[in-house]
Amino acid sequence: MDVEYDVIVLGTGLKECILSGLLSVDGLKVLHMDRNDYYGGESSSLMLNQLWKRFKGDENPPEGLGSSKEYNVDMIPKFMMANGMLVRALIHTNVTKYLNFKAVDGSFVYNKGKIYKVPATDVEALKSTLMGLFEKRRARKFFIYVQDFDENDPKSHEGLDLNTVPAKELIGKYGLEDDTIEFIGHALALYTSDSYLELPAIDFVKKIRVQFLYAESLARFESGSPYIYPMYGLGELPQAFARLSAVYGGTYMLNKPECKVEFDDSGKVVGVTSDGETAKCKKVVCDPSYVPDKVKKVGKVARAICIMSHPIPDTNDSHSAQVILPQKQLNRKSDMYLFCCSYSHNVAPQGKFISFVTTEAETDDPQTELKAGVDLLGPVDEIFYETYDRYEPTNDAEADSCFVSTSYDATTHFETTMKDVLAMYTKITGKELDLTVDLSAASAGGLWLKTINGQDCKAVRQLLIELNLCLWLKTINGRDCKAVGRLLVAKNGCPYNLHLSKLGVAVTTYMYPSCPRSFTTFDS
């Protein structure tokens, strides 16, 4: 290969594909290679026969489980915060036009042997039994302090230097109970352990302020949780960013054996060799499996993959849900997570549900270690256990120009994943990625349909794309909203004349910054 590339990316996992797309958009010459003949790497989605072969050794699952092709089982299952960094990256790069999403029904937290819904509205918060009346008042005072906190305004600090005061001391000032601290730290701020309590409170407060995006995410969809999930599973995400890279001149090569990273005498990257040919490059981006001598093992994830015929009990019959089990509730060193998705997101046949139980492994026996989470699932049709090692890079990327991603953790959301991606992007390019986007305008131009009078929309019809305008059609009370007309678009204006069948449909339109929001119901 005589061509020299700015960057060669090895592996088509989600992190690598996001970086490939971002770097291609920046105008860099990118070659993307993978030893596998499919996209996704460790974050791929498997059909049932592929899942069966991986765990059972053959491709003959029981017929009673349904068609193999109707399964899309994610190997790294994670929900997307609707107002989080991954969604901002999707909008920033205009990748939204390649994907179709649906809101997740509910987010829950485990406390004292029971599953409680994380309040999604003020009304739910008042009714929630997670806290008593007086505790709710104390928590409200704490949230007001966090909301009003301004690093540049000493008056808002209330005499506390958060750069030195630990988070535990700040929380103690408000007299919050342990259960409330767990709820705020793990279910809202998404910390994975209690170690943050000993660190300076400034980071805790900033994270809580950022995680007010939890409420902002809820507001975007008016659903039972702040999360969304792609139709047909996460396997669509790497492919979408791969398309983005290709559009901007990126070159893709799958099924390339070995893919050995080459270094010169000074230890600096010079290229990648595969099939006896070496492609020259200035930098390499890869997952840990391509450079085992430049990473170290930092942990292990234990997980159970379950096929069920019902939702997770005590989750309000949610067809998609997350349940966080804080570490103290299980006498563990780290949290445990339940993840559930179903046929409503087109990841399983009608009536089937896919659930995961994941945690940072503390023993070598995943079946025993995950029992507390698995027991919450109720009866399962099939269950598979496995563990995988987590790695992080040990090399000096600035010195050898080899940028290695960290392994995926046990969390059921993408916030930690995107932190790694953004940190790598900054190291590679020397600049920070600006993800300040107009979420309401959704640069690609989005038409977002919401729930009606609090009723969950149980299905999403086909995503229609016309002139970069996304139309999301859902159902009301399980009935399809059938589009019988067509979307007419005025140049640089709002869509109009949207005809729907005889169902009351609330439509909220978010268009260009100059386009006012409109709320319209059709009942004719």
Side-chain angles (χ1 to χ4, degrees):
M1 301 181 185
D2 296 329
V3 180
E4 182 174 1
Y5 296 89
D6 294 312
V7 180
I8 294 180
V9 181
L10 301 179
T12 52
L14 179 60
K15 293 182 181 182
E16 288 71 37
C17 285
I18 293 175
L19 286 167
S20 176
L22 292 173
L23 297 174
S24 295
V25 170
D26 282 349
L28 300 182
K29 193 175 186 63
V30 176
L31 171 63
H32 203 148
M33 304 167 69
D34 196 314
R35 62 169 71 94
N36 300 310
D37 59 359
Y38 56 86
Y39 288 97
E42 292 300 316
S43 54
S44 61
S45 297
L46 303 182
M47 293 187 295
L48 183 59
N49 63 332
Q50 295 171 320
L51 183 72
W52 215 259
K53 183 176 181 179
R54 175 168 177 161
F55 291 100
K56 301 285 190 178
D58 63 64
E59 297 186 9
N60 301 305
E63 293 184 2
L65 295 179
S67 171
S68 175
K69 294 182 179 179
E70 292 187 68
Y71 282 88
N72 291 287
V73 183
D74 294 321
M75 290 295 96
I76 306 292
K78 294 180 184 290
F79 290 132
M80 301 165 58
M81 188 76 79
N83 207 28
M85 290 185 284
L86 180 52
V87 169
R88 291 171 182 271
L90 290 168
I91 295 172
H92 172 78
T93 56
N94 203 24
V95 169
T96 48
K97 64 184 178 183
Y98 300 125
L99 298 164
N100 189 2
F101 297 90
K102 184 184 176 184
V104 173
D105 291 338
S107 182
F108 301 82
V109 63
Y110 178 81
N111 182 261
K112 296 180 180 177
K114 295 182 180 180
I115 293 176
Y116 296 87
K117 189 176 188 302
V118 176
T121 65
D122 292 343
V123 174
E124 284 189 5
L126 288 173
K127 292 181 178 179
S128 175
T129 55
L130 270 171
M131 303 180 219
L133 177 61
F134 294 107
E135 181 67 2
K136 288 176 181 176
R137 291 177 178 175
R138 288 189 289 268
R140 181 176 179 272
K141 291 180 180 179
F142 171 74
F143 284 127
I144 290 174
Y145 171 81
V146 173
Q147 185 171 350
D148 293 342
F149 180 83
D150 183 347
E151 279 192 271
N152 299 317
D153 182 7
K155 292 182 181 179
S156 69
H157 301 180
E158 295 186 4
L160 296 175
D161 182 1
L162 299 192
N163 291 302
T164 58
V165 172
K168 180 169 59 176
E169 184 176 330
L170 171 64
I171 294 171
K173 178 183 177 182
Y174 292 89
L176 298 180
E177 297 174 356
D178 288 345
D179 290 345
T180 304
I181 296 170
E182 278 191 347
F183 167 70
I184 294 173
H186 295 260
L188 292 183
L190 304 179
Y191 281 106
T192 59
S193 72
D194 286 340
S195 58
Y196 72 93
L197 291 171
E198 306 299 331
L199 301 176
I202 184 65
D203 293 325
F204 171 59
V205 168
K206 285 182 177 179
K207 185 158 181 126
I208 290 289
R209 286 179 61 83
V210 169
Q211 293 306 331
F212 279 143
L213 66 81
Y214 190 101
E216 294 171 5
S217 293
L218 282 166
R220 290 201 67 197
F221 289 90
E222 292 182 1
S223 64
S225 84
Y227 299 102
I228 60 176
Y229 194 69
M231 301 297 285
Y232 303 101
L234 294 174
E236 298 293 306
L237 278 174
Q239 295 186 55
F241 279 100
R243 293 189 194 104
L244 173 69
S245 177
V247 167
Y248 282 87
T251 302
Y252 274 77
M253 295 183 180
L254 299 181
N255 201 23
K256 300 293 290 183
E258 296 182 9
C259 293
K260 179 184 176 183
V261 181
E262 303 287 356
F263 300 88
D264 61 19
D265 293 338
S266 66
K268 198 174 186 66
V269 160
V270 293
V272 175
T273 299
S274 178
D275 282 335
E277 291 185 293
T278 299
K280 298 178 182 179
C281 66
K282 300 171 184 175
K283 298 176 182 178
V284 164
V285 176
C286 63
D287 69 50
S289 68
Y290 285 90
V291 285
D293 58 329
K294 292 185 178 292
V295 297
K296 66 177 180 181
K297 180 180 174 180
V298 293
K300 182 168 59 175
V301 173
R303 65 181 172 187
I305 306 170
C306 307
I307 300 175
M308 311 192 305
S309 299
H310 59 85
I312 297 176
D314 302 318
T315 60
N316 304 328
D317 292 328
S318 297
H319 285 206
S320 52
Q322 167 190 256
V323 184
I324 297 177
L325 287 68
Q327 62 178 88
K328 285 185 179 178
Q329 297 296 321
L330 305 176
N331 294 318
R332 293 178 47 80
K333 298 177 182 177
S334 57
D335 294 353
M336 188 175 294
Y337 303 87
L338 307 186
F339 170 103
C340 179
C341 216
S342 68
Y343 60 93
S344 68
H345 276 87
N346 292 347
V347 298
Q350 185 76 17
K352 293 297 181 183
F353 295 75
I354 306 297
S355 291
F356 285 75
V357 183
T358 60
T359 189
E360 183 70 15
E362 298 173 8
T363 71
D364 293 324
D365 183 2
Q367 188 166 347
T368 300
E369 190 165 1
L370 297 170
K371 186 178 186 303
V374 172
D375 286 349
L376 294 175
L377 299 180
V380 299
D381 301 334
E382 294 288 343
I383 187 167
F384 311 93
Y385 291 96
E386 77 167 353
T387 60
Y388 66 86
D389 295 330
R390 289 196 306 109
Y391 297 93
E392 65 180 27
T394 58
N395 64 310
D396 182 356
E398 293 185 3
D400 62 15
S401 297
C402 185
F403 300 87
V404 188
S405 62
T406 59
S407 302
Y408 297 95
D409 61 21
T411 60
T412 49
H413 54 80
F414 273 111
E415 295 307 292
T416 53
T417 297
M418 283 303 297
K419 284 183 179 179
D420 187 32
V421 169
L422 296 180
M424 291 181 67
Y425 177 86
T426 299
K427 290 179 181 178
I428 295 167
T429 64
K431 62 181 181 181
E432 292 189 2
L433 180 64
D434 182 8
L435 290 181
T436 304
V437 296
D438 186 350
L439 286 165
S440 62
S443 65
L447 185 65
W448 308 75
L449 301 194
K450 300 182 177 181
T451 57
I452 309 306
N453 297 329
Q455 297 295 317
D456 289 333
C457 294
K458 295 297 183 183
V460 177
R461 287 181 60 83
Q462 180 184 9
L463 175 64
L464 305 177
I465 298 178
E466 183 172 347
L467 298 179
N468 280 337
L469 297 175
C470 302
L471 175 62
W472 290 27
L473 298 183
K474 297 184 177 180
T475 65
I476 309 304
N477 298 332
R479 296 176 295 172
D480 285 340
C481 291
K482 298 179 181 178
V484 296
R486 67 189 183 93
L487 182 63
L488 303 177
V489 182
K491 185 176 181 181
N492 292 327
C494 301
Y496 59 93
N497 289 359
L498 176 61
H499 302 285
L500 300 178
S501 60
K502 295 181 180 180
L503 297 172
V505 182
V507 180
T508 302
T509 306
Y510 299 93
M511 286 297 301
Y512 307 99
S514 61
C515 175
R517 296 185 180 188
S518 61
F519 190 81
T520 310
T521 58
F522 299 80
D523 193 16
S524 61

